[in-house]
Amino acid sequence: MITSDWYLQQQTRRHFLGQTGLGLGGIALSGLLQDRPAAAASLPEVRNPMSARPSQFPARARRVIYLHLTGSPPNLDMYDYKPELVRRNGEETPESILKGKRFAFTTGVPRLMGTPFRFSRQGESGMWMSEVIPNLHQVADEICMVKSMFTDQFNHAPAELMAFSGSPRPGRPSLGAWVTYGLGSENDNLPGFVVLISSGTQPNAGQNSYGSGFLPSVYQGVQCRSKGDPVLYVSDPAGMDRELRRDTLDALRDLNQLQMEELGHPETLTRIAQYELAFRMQTSVPEVMDISREPQHLLQAYGAEPGAASFANNCLLARRLIEQGVRYVQLFDWGWDFHGTRPDEGIGDGLVRKCATMDRPVAALLKDLRQRGLLEDTLVICGGEFGRTPFREGRTSSGAILGRDHYPDCYTMWMAGGGVKGGLSYGETDELGFETVENQVHLHDLQATILHLLGFDHTQLVYRFQGRDFRLTDVHGEVVQALLA
């Protein structure tokens, strides 16, 4: 008979073989490569697929907070200062730049648009930053700014899938799923991968942006809410107390164990683990999600309000979650698609107001992590799925509200903590912001670098599915060594 542990090990033996020869939980897998059930007899039991596991090599970061600004912030109005573009504001875009390019909503010859905002150098590093993010000025020397990013997609959903799964098509595991698959979690009573969504809207690619794809579903993100019940259906139904719930789960566990022994399907082990986690979450999640336990000065620093649903609340919750051992926290904040089709999507008062909801809590988060000694081994990532054009968007080009179209060829992402160089501005775009001219970084390179900071060779963190080994970076990606502290 093929035991449950043997089957699970067979499914995951490609975890990160490389030179380490290790698989799930750090168990030596050389005996399993013969693909014989008899090898299972010598294996220790794998009780929890989310148990903490060592990385492939010593890691600089132990955990991740990823702040995704859904819709993609205008890098030219926030981070990438282009005085020549400001000087040439209103001129027709040179034909040589437009030739052969496609845009989501712009045709013909658009007019260049310099930023209406002032930029200044901030911190000891002298990093250029816009006036729309005044609180981030205070933490400029914590930030590793990458201004030379580029991606392959110029529409939201496929670009977001590319950012989180390495592919523009649904079905691949998300970054958070890969991280928890590789490292597990440091808290048995909380999910290893938590998702927090603000501004009332799911990300462009929906749950695929935090799904597990073909990995066991135990590694998918668990969405928690900052208002109401933290997790849907986490409470016991009416008339069921804790003792009855425990008895029910014990019976389900026994039935699932029988099915596992008979069929050997890894999802059955996932089901057992998820039922048990849900039971423990009923007491642990409400406590960690209760930000009213925080001192008043910290609530004010973040701009957080207990009982509300906001990006500020989610930033504070992210710190509380990683402090309790959650491995990966993903924040999605809707409303960064600045086409200029209405005032709140305009590069003017609309961007100022939107930045105000992000700037204060993110700066507070970095300061809070630093003060608690957590920033050193917590990797914070911030950005969107692509950039914005250096010209006015076609549909709104004749109106009073300024807007920019989607642009994949160059954009800005930043990281902080977790082994990256603070105060670094890496890469350059040309004087008009159309092309990267120095230290180009593809999205797969960024993904490879993130995994490297977490202690993995991205070419070795793989999973065999449908006859081939898959990885986050597909067949691409190089670690950007210059970003490492």
Side-chain angles (χ1 to χ4, degrees):
M1 178 184 295
I2 298 177
T3 66
S4 60
D5 292 330
W6 182 85
Y7 190 88
L8 180 63
Q9 295 289 346
Q10 289 295 89
Q11 295 298 309
T12 58
R13 71 178 187 266
R14 298 293 297 177
H15 172 47
F16 53 94
L17 292 178
Q19 297 179 354
T20 66
L22 298 180
L24 183 63
I27 299 170
L29 297 183
S30 56
L32 289 181
L33 299 180
Q34 301 174 31
D35 289 351
R36 290 186 293 108
S42 62
L43 287 174
E45 182 181 1
V46 180
R47 288 186 170 86
N48 182 1
M50 284 299 294
S51 60
R53 297 183 283 278
S55 56
Q56 187 182 16
F57 50 81
R60 297 167 183 253
R62 292 174 55 190
R63 61 192 80 85
V64 175
I65 298 174
Y66 197 128
L67 313 169
H68 184 67
L69 309 184
T70 305
S72 294
N75 50 302
L76 296 169
D77 302 291
M78 296 172 67
Y79 307 118
D80 197 3
Y81 183 40
K82 295 297 168 192
E84 179 64 14
L85 183 62
V86 173
R87 190 184 70 79
R88 296 178 61 178
N89 182 64
E91 293 183 12
E92 288 190 349
T93 302
E95 183 180 354
S96 59
I97 292 176
L98 298 174
K99 189 175 181 179
K101 292 187 177 181
R102 295 184 303 154
F103 304 99
F105 298 102
T106 301
T107 57
V109 181
R111 294 191 177 274
L112 298 174
M113 187 176 85
T115 183
F117 302 109
R118 293 188 301 272
F119 274 69
S120 57
R121 291 189 179 275
Q122 299 298 326
E124 293 183 6
S125 60
M127 184 178 292
W128 284 106
M129 286 185 165
S130 167
E131 63 182 322
V132 299
I133 47 173
N135 289 284
L136 286 178
H137 295 179
Q138 303 168 22
V139 291
D141 291 330
E142 301 284 8
I143 289 174
C144 178
M145 190 85 70
V146 185
K147 295 182 178 179
S148 51
M149 292 292 304
F150 74 105
T151 183
D152 304 336
Q153 303 294 320
F154 66 86
N155 281 321
H156 292 296
E160 194 169 273
L161 284 172
M162 189 83 180
F164 290 109
S165 73
S167 169
R169 291 170 293 279
R172 299 282 185 91
S174 63
L175 173 59
W178 279 113
V179 172
T180 49
Y181 165 62
L183 293 174
S185 180
E186 295 182 321
N187 189 323
D188 291 337
N189 299 323
L190 292 169
F193 176 12
V194 173
V195 177
L196 301 169
I197 296 174
S198 52
S199 301
T201 305
Q202 287 277 333
N204 286 301
Q207 295 182 1
N208 288 296
S209 292
Y210 53 91
S212 58
F214 45 71
L215 291 177
S217 57
V218 70
Y219 301 114
Q220 70 186 0
V222 175
Q223 183 180 342
C224 291
R225 305 183 303 166
S226 55
K227 185 176 183 180
D229 282 344
V231 179
L232 293 176
Y233 313 116
V234 74
S235 301
D236 288 328
M240 176 176 281
D241 58 22
R242 295 290 287 170
E243 185 176 352
L244 180 56
R245 168 69 85 177
R246 182 67 266 170
D247 290 342
T248 302
L249 290 178
D250 288 345
L252 286 170
R253 180 199 59 214
D254 293 344
L255 291 171
N256 282 322
Q257 284 281 21
L258 290 172
Q259 186 181 53
M260 187 71 188
E261 291 173 6
E262 180 180 355
L263 301 178
H265 199 289
E267 281 299 299
T268 309
L269 187 64
T270 288
R271 188 182 307 132
I272 295 171
Q274 287 176 327
Y275 279 142
E276 293 300 320
L277 175 60
F279 182 77
R280 298 191 299 271
M281 283 169 55
Q282 287 183 309
T283 56
S284 58
V285 168
E287 180 179 349
V288 74
M289 298 290 287
D290 182 7
I291 64 172
S292 67
R293 299 168 181 262
E294 295 288 333
Q296 188 62 33
H297 75 274
L298 264 182
L299 292 173
Q300 291 177 347
Y302 279 86
E305 182 182 345
S310 68
F311 186 69
N313 280 25
N314 288 350
C315 284
L316 181 51
L317 284 170
R319 190 225 79 207
R320 290 177 61 85
L321 287 162
I322 64 104
E323 198 171 32
Q324 295 298 315
V326 173
R327 184 71 70 183
Y328 187 103
V329 182
Q330 178 73 59
L331 275 64
F332 290 103
D333 185 52
W334 178 267
W336 292 90
D337 194 17
F338 285 90
H339 286 283
T341 53
R342 57 178 192 256
D344 63 330
E345 290 184 356
I347 295 176
D349 290 342
L351 180 60
V352 171
R353 287 194 294 270
K354 187 61 181 175
C355 282
T357 68
M358 177 277 289
D359 173 56
R360 179 179 172 185
V362 173
L365 174 63
L366 296 185
K367 292 177 183 177
D368 197 8
L369 291 172
R370 172 64 71 193
Q371 189 274 327
R372 293 168 186 269
L374 292 169
L375 188 58
E376 182 178 350
D377 56 3
T378 300
L379 180 63
V380 181
I381 308 165
C382 184
E385 58 265 31
F386 43 56
R388 315 298 301 196
T389 55
F391 53 74
R392 293 197 64 175
E393 201 256 84
R395 296 172 301 172
T396 59
S397 59
S398 60
I401 304 172
L402 301 177
R404 300 186 188 274
D405 208 344
H406 307 170
Y407 199 61
D409 291 5
C410 48
Y411 64 105
T412 299
M413 296 278 295
W414 62 259
M415 299 183 286
V420 299
K421 288 180 181 176
L424 174 66
S425 182
Y426 184 79
E428 289 291 340
T429 55
D430 64 36
E431 60 183 7
L432 297 180
F434 276 97
E435 300 289 345
T436 56
V437 294
E438 181 182 310
N439 296 326
Q440 195 174 54
V441 178
H442 188 271
L443 182 59
H444 285 312
D445 299 329
L446 183 70
Q447 292 165 343
T449 305
I450 291 168
L451 292 181
H452 178 85
L453 290 165
L454 290 162
F456 289 101
D457 177 345
H458 70 106
T459 68
Q460 299 299 326
L461 182 61
V462 298
Y463 189 88
R464 181 164 287 273
F465 176 67
Q466 293 185 340
R468 62 160 281 196
D469 288 342
F470 284 85
R471 68 186 204 223
L472 173 64
T473 52
D474 196 32
V475 295
H476 311 285
E478 298 288 340
V479 175
V480 186
Q481 297 287 341
L483 304 181
L484 310 182

